[in-house]
Amino acid sequence: MDRHDEESDRGEAASPLQIDLARRILDRIRDSGWGVGTRVSVPDLARTFGVSRSPISGALELLVSKGILAPLETRGLQVALDVTGLDTAEVLPSSPLEELYRRMMRERALGDLPQEVSEAELIPRYGVSRGIIRKLLLRFAAEGLVQRLPGHGWRFADSLVGEDAYRESYEFRAAVECAALRSPGFHADPQVLMPVRRAHERVLSDPDSISGDEWFRINASFHQGLAICSGNRFLADAVRQQNNLRRMQELAGFDELPSERIEQSCREHLAILDAIDTGEMEWAEALLRQHLRQASEFATLS
């Protein structure tokens, strides 16, 4: 058993999911402009990120251990540190298990990992125990990216490989995301959209410093945020699932994404948010449809 396996099997202070949530919470604190003393709500964060309270609580405990949060005199937690210039990657580095998760995702996106796999095949491939492989597969399953087959097999979801798959995905996204803007229950909730706006403004201030993980989270939060504001849980779930499928492909191809494309995408997102803020919903929908069409053309050409 190698060191990677021993470290993972001994158990970590926080799970990969908790570390990922801690990063996202840290980004939300920064982009929401929460100052020292701001109270942090577990139920609100659970709703924001679409997870149960248990992993949120674990992520918050991790942030407490890093001195970013602190207990209130009464029950609850508060921001204890100005996070404006904090380096998220330095405070919350990736664990060995997280690195393996990314490797599997990248290899599946590139077609190096077959669509149908078994735990027995993956153990020697990655040099880790069955328990680690199962933990990773269960994480993929929770994200809707893999499902268990009868017996010991697992099947990854159809990925966005090839022009046809990309075209169909963007057609579906245009239908769903534009429908979200037309929803009778649409409400431009500032608690949802303001952090999204600030995150995009932060990227525009220094687009070359953004990591693939962070850009994907910010990009996905825009599209997910619009769906959440629709007030329709089924539209929100559909966009969340598309984001999960996109993550596999887009993280694998981030190194080839020019900073100019990131800047353009940010400006297009901000223009859509501006239209929503002024109540010009038809214009916002037109801009969103154009944005998705341009993104589709870039994806199929890249």
Side-chain angles (χ1 to χ4, degrees):
M1 183 180 291
D2 62 18
R3 182 177 60 83
H4 177 165
D5 217 19
E6 290 173 358
E7 288 178 356
S8 299
D9 276 340
R10 280 199 305 266
E12 299 166 323
S15 71
L17 174 59
Q18 290 170 342
I19 294 172
D20 181 61
L21 286 170
R23 292 193 192 107
R24 294 164 68 187
I25 293 169
L26 182 53
D27 286 341
R28 184 167 182 79
I29 291 171
R30 180 192 294 117
D31 295 329
S32 298
W34 293 353
V36 173
T38 302
R39 188 183 184 97
V40 178
S41 166
V42 173
D44 286 350
L45 290 172
R47 283 193 295 271
T48 297
F49 298 124
V51 298
S52 67
R53 297 186 185 189
S54 178
I56 290 290
S57 297
L60 294 177
E61 289 175 10
L62 178 57
L63 292 175
V64 169
S65 73
K66 300 293 183 179
I68 296 166
L69 301 179
L72 289 162
E73 290 185 7
T74 56
R75 187 178 179 183
L77 296 172
Q78 63 181 336
V79 177
L81 185 70
D82 181 359
V83 302
T84 305
L86 210 60
D87 186 340
T88 304
E90 183 176 335
V91 176
L92 298 166
S94 296
S95 68
L97 196 60
E98 184 75 11
E99 294 297 335
L100 184 53
Y101 166 82
R102 297 179 195 285
R103 178 183 167 189
M104 290 178 66
M105 182 178 288
R106 183 169 57 254
E107 290 181 1
R108 175 61 203 135
L110 296 173
D112 296 334
L113 188 63
Q115 186 168 22
E116 292 190 8
V117 296
S118 69
E119 295 173 14
E121 293 169 339
L122 296 176
I123 291 169
R125 180 186 181 103
Y126 296 110
V128 295
S129 69
R130 184 179 295 274
I132 296 302
I133 291 297
R134 185 164 296 172
K135 194 177 291 186
L136 290 167
L137 289 170
L138 288 173
R139 178 177 177 185
F140 280 120
E143 295 168 346
L145 296 178
V146 72
Q147 62 180 357
R148 191 191 293 268
L149 298 174
H152 300 288
W154 297 77
R155 187 181 192 276
F156 282 95
D158 292 333
S159 55
L160 305 182
V161 176
E163 293 188 12
D164 288 345
Y166 268 108
R167 175 182 53 77
E168 292 168 7
S169 171
Y170 275 100
E171 286 176 358
F172 178 78
R173 290 179 59 197
V176 171
E177 295 185 32
C178 289
L181 294 183
R182 295 194 304 272
S183 173
F186 188 92
H187 168 62
D189 187 344
Q191 290 190 350
V192 174
L193 298 183
M194 185 54 70
V196 172
R197 176 182 289 279
R198 287 178 173 165
H200 281 69
E201 291 169 348
R202 176 162 53 84
V203 173
L204 282 176
S205 69
D206 190 6
D208 292 323
S209 68
I210 197 79
S211 68
D213 282 338
E214 188 176 9
W215 169 239
F216 181 82
R217 282 198 298 271
I218 291 171
N219 188 2
S221 72
F222 167 80
H223 295 280
Q224 186 68 36
L226 297 185
I228 290 172
C229 288
S230 74
N232 186 313
R233 72 192 74 181
F234 300 105
L235 292 175
D237 285 344
V239 173
R240 184 179 295 111
Q241 173 63 9
Q242 283 295 303
N243 281 340
N244 284 335
L245 291 175
R246 288 171 55 215
R247 178 190 303 165
M248 189 173 289
Q249 244 59 43
E250 294 186 15
L251 288 182
F254 179 77
D255 290 341
E256 300 175 7
L257 187 66
S259 59
E260 293 80 9
R261 178 58 198 164
I262 294 176
E263 293 180 62
Q264 179 184 350
S265 186
C266 276
R267 292 194 174 94
E268 290 172 2
H269 286 178
L270 288 171
I272 294 166
L273 292 176
D274 288 342
I276 291 172
D277 285 346
T278 56
E280 299 175 275
M281 299 305 295
E282 290 186 4
W283 179 233
E285 182 184 346
L287 290 175
L288 177 59
R289 194 177 298 278
Q290 180 184 30
H291 166 70
L292 291 172
R293 183 171 60 250
Q294 291 176 340
S296 172
E297 292 170 355
F298 180 86
T300 54
L301 290 173
S302 61

